[in-house]
Amino acid sequence: MPHLLILGGTTEASALAAAVAEKGVRATLSYAGRTAQPRAQPVPVRVGGFGGAEGLAAWLRIEQVTHLVDATHPFAAQMSANAVAAAEQAGVPLVALTRPAWRAGAGDRWTFAADLDAAVAALAGPSRRVMLALGRMHVDRFAARPQHDYLLRFVDPPERAPALPTHRVVIDRGPFTTAGDRRLLEAHRTELIVCKNAGGEGAAAKLAAARALGVPVLMIDRPTLPPRRTCESVAAVLDWLDHATDRGV
């Protein structure tokens, strides 16, 4: 009987958990634990870190995991690197369930930053009304640019106030709509959106709203990850799982 470990925290991870539960495949869904009240899942859930690649490899062996799926956020670079290393150490086949990156289209006003440091550097200059669509872990980096009026949207209320002199916090959980994000940008009179190229549909509404309003976007490129097998749909992961199982892996 296969035992699948899904490294989650994304919409895609939840969709995969639902799909394998329906097929009767044994699976465990792992969360990093950054969301206070994650959605209920149809498979057992594990919360917290593993202790690096070695800790994850040990967990794979102890729990007799037969297949590993990295369905973490595209910017969870350390976790993804640990997954590649741990899968190799434990001899467990790995696939990454990834979202296609967003691409600029007609009407988009995008500029690009290689990483968070480059995004902070790009905000030099006069004060603007800026939406930081980055998640709560990274907003304090922008305290180096205190002249701006920031709009922040979090899933959970922050445990402490962000280190930004002028900001507004909105607590909301996606998926979001273009109409709703347009109202949000208009209410804040947003002049720039800073976001990571997460891909997917659940967080793309802000980009459509920005396009409609002519608001520029500073898009942070995805990090470089170790080579690995990738799939871009739950169906492709299920096909991989079926074929890996057929081969006796």
Side-chain angles (χ1 to χ4, degrees):
M1 171 69 70
H3 180 196
L4 179 65
L5 174 62
I6 305 169
L7 303 177
T10 61
T11 303
E12 292 79 10
S14 296
L16 177 60
V20 296
E22 185 175 349
K23 288 173 65 71
V25 176
R26 182 186 175 198
T28 302
L29 179 60
S30 174
Y31 286 123
R34 297 192 180 103
T35 301
Q37 294 182 325
R39 291 186 174 93
Q41 298 293 340
V43 300
V45 170
R46 179 192 183 281
V47 179
F50 290 92
E54 291 75 16
L56 176 55
W59 199 92
L60 295 175
R61 296 188 193 99
I62 292 169
E63 298 297 326
Q64 299 182 322
V65 171
T66 60
H67 303 78
L68 176 60
V69 178
D70 178 6
T72 58
H73 193 277
F75 281 76
Q78 187 60 63
M79 187 67 248
S80 292
N82 288 346
V84 171
E88 183 176 351
Q89 291 176 30
V92 172
L94 163 72
V95 71
L97 175 54
T98 64
R99 311 168 183 174
W102 290 319
R103 298 186 182 277
D108 287 320
R109 299 173 58 196
W110 292 10
T111 54
F112 297 89
D115 51 30
L116 276 168
D117 289 339
V120 172
L123 264 61
S127 174
R128 286 183 283 179
R129 303 180 72 85
V130 179
M131 179 180 185
L132 294 181
L134 302 169
R136 59 186 171 86
M137 290 180 60
H138 305 298
V139 298
D140 284 357
R141 302 273 288 274
F142 290 83
R145 302 294 183 215
Q147 71 272 30
H148 302 299
D149 184 338
Y150 292 103
L151 172 63
L152 314 173
R153 180 165 62 189
F154 301 149
V155 174
D156 300 307
E159 295 179 359
R160 59 174 181 79
L164 303 171
T166 306
H167 66 271
R168 171 190 172 195
V169 175
V170 174
I171 305 301
D172 200 0
R173 183 191 293 266
F176 304 105
T177 66
T178 300
D181 277 4
R182 179 168 180 164
R183 288 192 295 269
L184 180 65
L185 297 179
E186 288 177 325
H188 190 254
R189 305 195 304 280
T190 299
E191 299 171 282
L192 174 69
I193 295 175
V194 181
C195 67
K196 298 181 288 188
N197 196 334
E201 297 181 0
K206 60 182 174 289
L207 302 177
R211 184 185 311 122
L213 295 172
V215 174
V217 173
L218 177 60
M219 186 68 69
I220 302 173
D221 296 331
R222 292 184 174 188
T224 300
L225 298 173
R228 57 196 181 153
R229 180 192 296 269
T230 61
C231 295
E232 292 188 346
S233 70
V234 169
V237 173
L238 295 178
D239 183 67
W240 168 80
L241 181 61
D242 287 341
H243 283 80
T245 302
D246 290 342
R247 291 195 299 269
V249 176

